[in-house]
Amino acid sequence: MVESAPMVAATAADADDVARLRDLLAQWMIDNGIGQWVPGEYPAATVAEEVERGEWYVWREKPETLVAAVRLIWRDPEFWGADDDTDAGYIHGLMVAPEHRGRALGPRILQFCADHTLARGITRQRLDTASDNLALRKYYAAQGFTELREATLPPRFHGTTHVILMEKTLSTPAQR
């Protein structure tokens, strides 16, 4: 089993760093021909509102160094549809700072999300990725996620218009 990441609940003080990391990664995506995120489309004020609701988690190795961040929510009608009432942990914005790539942090963050989801008695995780981001689709498939369908995004998202919705059934410790 993959060890869980040392994530902690984000605080209001983390919002600017999370938004800056997202903008940095959005620019990297654009520079590398990936149409998923756009710098500035996810401002610190939005992150702060989500932090207030307890949706963001951060990983810091030093107080001033943000290593990674992830958003975990329990309903996601914007991406999955207003009529979707599936109990799941919905993963958004999984980000690792570029200087920390290559350390296999992604699986640890996904395990953190799985552990947090299972702690709520929920055995399903969901996430999405841009439909044309084949590398990320392959990555998530290797992490046990199955592609369910393609969905059209609302117009407020600028990096892509279509996402692939993916799902994974989680095993409880007794099932492993």
Side-chain angles (χ1 to χ4, degrees):
M1 183 174 97
V2 175
E3 177 186 338
S4 186
M7 308 293 288
V8 296
T11 67
D14 293 312
D16 286 335
D17 286 347
V18 170
R20 269 193 298 278
L21 178 57
R22 190 177 193 284
D23 284 347
L24 176 71
L25 295 174
Q27 187 60 55
W28 179 89
M29 288 178 185
I30 290 169
D31 293 347
N32 287 277
I34 301 168
Q36 186 155 329
W37 293 348
V38 175
E41 76 177 341
Y42 211 91
T46 300
V47 175
E49 290 170 10
E50 294 166 349
V51 164
E52 182 68 26
R53 293 192 301 263
E55 298 174 0
W56 279 97
Y57 298 87
V58 295
W59 177 345
R60 291 185 179 275
E61 289 189 342
K62 299 176 186 173
E64 69 280 358
T65 305
L66 180 65
V67 172
V70 68
R71 182 175 175 233
L72 182 61
I73 58 178
W74 309 109
R75 291 278 179 255
D76 192 4
E78 193 166 38
F79 282 68
W80 289 80
D83 60 345
D84 180 61
D85 62 356
T86 302
D87 282 333
Y90 293 84
I91 300 167
H92 280 286
L94 193 160
M95 301 178 284
V96 174
E99 62 272 21
H100 296 282
R101 287 184 185 141
R103 295 174 46 193
L105 303 182
R108 292 179 68 191
I109 297 166
L110 289 171
Q111 186 61 53
F112 167 84
C113 292
D115 293 345
H116 213 66
T117 300
L118 287 167
R120 289 180 69 111
I122 299 170
T123 58
R124 186 172 301 168
Q125 277 186 310
R126 287 182 162 179
L127 52 77
D128 63 87
T129 186
S131 60
D132 61 353
N133 190 339
L134 300 180
L136 203 49
R137 288 170 66 178
K138 183 178 177 181
Y139 173 80
Y140 285 129
Q143 301 303 314
F145 287 85
T146 302
E147 293 186 5
L148 297 182
R149 68 182 184 275
E150 186 169 318
T152 303
L153 287 179
R156 79 173 186 94
F157 295 95
H158 306 290
T160 188
T161 58
H162 291 85
V163 293
I164 298 295
L165 302 176
M166 303 180 80
E167 182 175 274
K168 177 180 181 177
T169 301
L170 303 173
S171 300
T172 64
Q175 295 172 320
R176 290 185 198 134

